[in-house]
């Protein structure tokens, strides 16, 4: 039997969409190629901090804020349905300046935050070290916020897929969608090798690889991969209490006890290999922020390809000029934060024709130049 919806990609975005669609009663098939090469979700640090990522207003900030509001209920719901703890936790966020230039920029962030009504506290080094004993004497000043959150991104994606399956969805892992089934102006399904799966709706949620459909859809989907490397450490004696954030990266202790140091941002195409340079830069940053980590054990290194767009905004919505196809990608550095709201938006669009919040700024139409 054909599903109602095929979701291409089972990263955190596709998984969230599948879950929301299944909750609304749709029969869903998720097709995901698997772990190689570098899905972004498996490398993600899972920080849910729209504030530390820049803008304090505008559609992206609002989308992040709206998505963050959904996490509490979503985490409990997923735990009830699947027994999985997705590692959703509240923790402090301490933004650290390591030199005079960074102090200047941190002051600017403070005034943006205060104007946006976000509660932050400015701290000198002594006060910052009281609040976060892992910080070293390199800290010149800090900005503290008690209200940050984090989640375990792979667990969130897995839990959404398990919950979707419990509601009747099917997940094909290790299967690659090679092409779309196109009939006139309609996307009627997908092709994996010799197999065809038909459905009235197809959602393209395959992260950094979503641009590969541009030619068959006769349009430009300018999604490009931006490599992110992240290392994890194990430390018995020094455990950061807060998320430690700096202009050049961050340190975060996750619910499994590992300390993640992230992340590089590299324009190297679809190369998802870890590099010595990447590891060295991250480890140096870790030692500058928290010198006491020098005896921590090196645990793992992960690499993911973030889906990026030219305007740094995600692409969420129906593809104009076509029937039966929606896009949800381009979430770049915030895909985990934005996964819950993206799931709801796409499920609303497919189920009811319009989402509950405005998505004009994320409309794929801003990039579409359909070939004549
Ligand atoms: C190092 C690092 C740290 C990050 N930290 C954070 C953070 O702290 N907070 C945050 O919010 N975000 C963070 N991000 C960004 C976030 O991880 C991404 O925005 C998000 O994971 C994107 O999810 P996605 O589902 O769109 O893509 P992906 O996770 O890449 O999933 C896409 C899936 O589609 C599959 N696929 C591709 N092509 C096909 C095909 N043809 N057929 C079938 N399947 C296919 C892939 O195998 C993959 O599984 C980070 C990213 C990196 C790399």
């Amino acid at each position: 039997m054909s599903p109602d919806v095929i979701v291409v990609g089972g990263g955190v975005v596709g998984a969230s969409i599948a879950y929301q669609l299944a909750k609304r009663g749709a029969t869903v098939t998720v097709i995901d190629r698997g772990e190689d090469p570098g899905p972004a979700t498996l490398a993600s640090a899972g920080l849910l901090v729209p504030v530390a990522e820049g803008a304090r207003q505008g559609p992206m900030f609002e989308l992040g804020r709206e998505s963050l509001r959904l996490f509490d209920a979503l985490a409990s719901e997923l735990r009830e349905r699947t027994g999985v703890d997705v590692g959703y936790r509240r923790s402090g966020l301490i933004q650290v300046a390591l030199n005079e230039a960074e102090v200047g920029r941190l002051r600017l962030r403070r005034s943006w935050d205060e104007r946006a009504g976000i509660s932050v506290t400015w701290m000198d080094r002594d006060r910052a070290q009281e609040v976060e004993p892992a910080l070293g004497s390199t800290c010149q000043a800090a900005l503290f916020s008690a209200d940050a959150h984090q989640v375990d991104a792979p667990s969130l994606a897995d839990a959404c897929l398990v919950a979707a399956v419990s509601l009747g969805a099917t997940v094909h892992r290790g299967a690659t969608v090679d092409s779309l089934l196109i009939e006139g102006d309609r996307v009627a399904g997908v092709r994996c090798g010799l197999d065809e799966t038909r459905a009235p709706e197809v959602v393209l949620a395959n992260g950094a690889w979503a641009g590969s459909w541009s030619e068959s859809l006769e349009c430009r989907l300018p999604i490009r991969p931006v490599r992110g490397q992240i290392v994890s450490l194990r430390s018995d004696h020094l455990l950061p209490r807060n998320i430690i954030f700096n202009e050049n990266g961050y340190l975060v202790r996750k619910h499994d006890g590992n300390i993640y140091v992230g992340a590089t941002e590299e324009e190297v195409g679809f190369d998802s290999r870890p590099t010595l340079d990447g590891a060295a830069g991250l480890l140096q940053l870790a030692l500058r922020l928290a010198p006491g980590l020098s005896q921590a054990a090196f645990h793992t290194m992960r690499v993911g390809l973030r889906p990026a767009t030219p305007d740094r905004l995600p692409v969420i919505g129906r593809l104009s000029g076509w029937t039966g196809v929606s896009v949800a990608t381009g979430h770049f550095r915030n895909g985990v934060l934005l996964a819950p709201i993206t799931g709801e938006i796409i499920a609303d669009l497919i189920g009811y024709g319009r989402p509950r919040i405005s998505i004009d700024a994320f409309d794929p139409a801003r990039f579409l130049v359909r070939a004549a």
Side-chain angles (χ1 to χ4, degrees):
M1 204 181 77
S2 296
D4 298 323
V5 187
I6 296 168
V7 179
V8 184
V12 72
V13 171
S16 171
I17 293 168
Y19 174 53
Q20 293 301 333
L21 283 164
K23 255 176 79 174
R24 286 159 174 75
T27 53
V28 183
T29 293
V30 178
I31 303 178
D32 187 78
R33 186 174 49 201
E35 293 197 5
D36 190 37
T41 301
L42 296 185
S44 176
L47 306 184
L48 308 175
V49 287
V51 167
E53 286 288 334
R56 271 44 170 184
Q57 56 185 19
M60 184 67 170
F61 183 63
E62 290 310 322
L63 194 71
R65 215 154 44 177
E66 196 59 30
S67 201
L68 192 52
R69 281 198 200 108
L70 302 176
F71 264 94
D72 211 10
L74 179 64
S76 324
E77 204 176 298
L78 289 173
R79 191 200 283 268
E80 266 170 41
R81 285 187 193 272
T82 68
V84 176
D85 174 4
V86 298
Y88 176 65
R89 304 278 187 275
R90 184 167 186 250
S91 54
L93 169 73
I94 191 153
Q95 299 182 68
V96 176
L98 297 176
N99 56 46
E100 273 314 303
E102 289 184 10
V103 171
R105 290 190 287 270
L106 199 57
R107 281 192 207 286
L108 209 58
R109 277 176 177 256
R110 174 200 194 179
S111 58
W112 291 344
D113 286 345
E114 287 174 347
R115 252 181 284 146
I118 296 161
S119 170
V120 285
T121 309
W122 184 263
M123 293 178 175
D124 62 14
R125 181 190 303 143
D126 289 347
R127 180 70 188 118
Q129 283 177 322
E130 273 169 36
V131 170
E132 180 47 75
L135 288 177
S137 57
T138 46
C139 167
Q140 303 298 307
L143 193 59
F144 179 74
S145 152
D147 197 21
H149 296 81
Q150 56 163 297
V151 72
D152 182 61
S155 304
L156 178 62
D158 280 350
C160 284
L161 289 178
V162 171
V165 168
S166 76
L167 292 164
T170 306
V171 178
H172 296 298
R173 272 201 197 278
T176 300
V177 171
D178 297 311
S179 58
L180 305 176
L181 286 177
I182 291 181
E183 294 173 356
D185 275 357
R186 163 173 287 281
V187 174
V190 301
R191 223 177 260 112
C192 299
L194 296 176
D195 293 337
E196 282 185 7
T197 308
R198 302 182 75 83
E201 296 283 350
V202 175
V203 182
L204 306 178
N206 56 326
W209 297 268
S212 59
W213 313 120
S214 294
E215 207 176 305
S216 45
L217 294 169
E218 299 167 23
C219 67
R220 201 170 70 93
L221 269 180
I223 311 297
R224 68 178 198 285
V226 175
R227 184 168 73 187
Q229 305 190 48
I230 191 165
V231 298
S232 70
L233 311 171
R234 285 203 77 90
S235 165
D236 296 330
H237 59 290
L238 185 83
L239 296 170
R241 290 180 190 162
N242 303 281
I243 299 167
I244 303 177
F245 207 91
N246 171 259
E247 288 182 1
N248 299 304
Y250 49 79
L251 276 173
V252 55
R253 177 156 62 103
K254 303 297 291 184
H255 78 310
D256 60 7
N258 294 332
I259 301 166
Y260 285 75
V261 188
T264 65
E265 213 179 292
E266 302 161 87
E267 301 274 356
V268 289
F270 286 95
D271 181 351
S272 60
R273 290 171 300 177
T275 64
L276 205 55
D277 233 16
L282 293 169
L283 296 176
Q284 272 161 16
L285 178 72
L287 290 176
R288 285 186 72 206
L289 288 168
L293 284 176
S294 60
Q295 293 307 307
F298 190 87
H299 186 58
T300 55
M301 178 142 192
R302 287 192 177 271
V303 186
L305 298 175
R306 305 178 185 91
T309 58
D311 58 9
R312 295 175 78 102
L313 298 178
V315 185
I316 308 171
R318 285 198 171 279
L319 208 54
S320 61
W322 292 92
T323 309
V325 63
S326 313
V327 185
T329 183
H331 295 73
F332 192 38
R333 292 178 60 105
N334 288 294
V336 183
L337 170 67
L338 298 176
I341 192 75
T342 304
E344 291 207 352
I345 289 170
I346 295 289
D348 285 349
L349 269 179
I350 288 177
Y352 312 112
R354 56 185 307 233
R356 65 187 172 87
I357 62 169
S358 165
I359 52 166
D360 292 351
F362 315 115
D363 192 334
R366 71 192 192 277
F367 297 125
L368 296 191
V369 186
R370 184 126 188 234

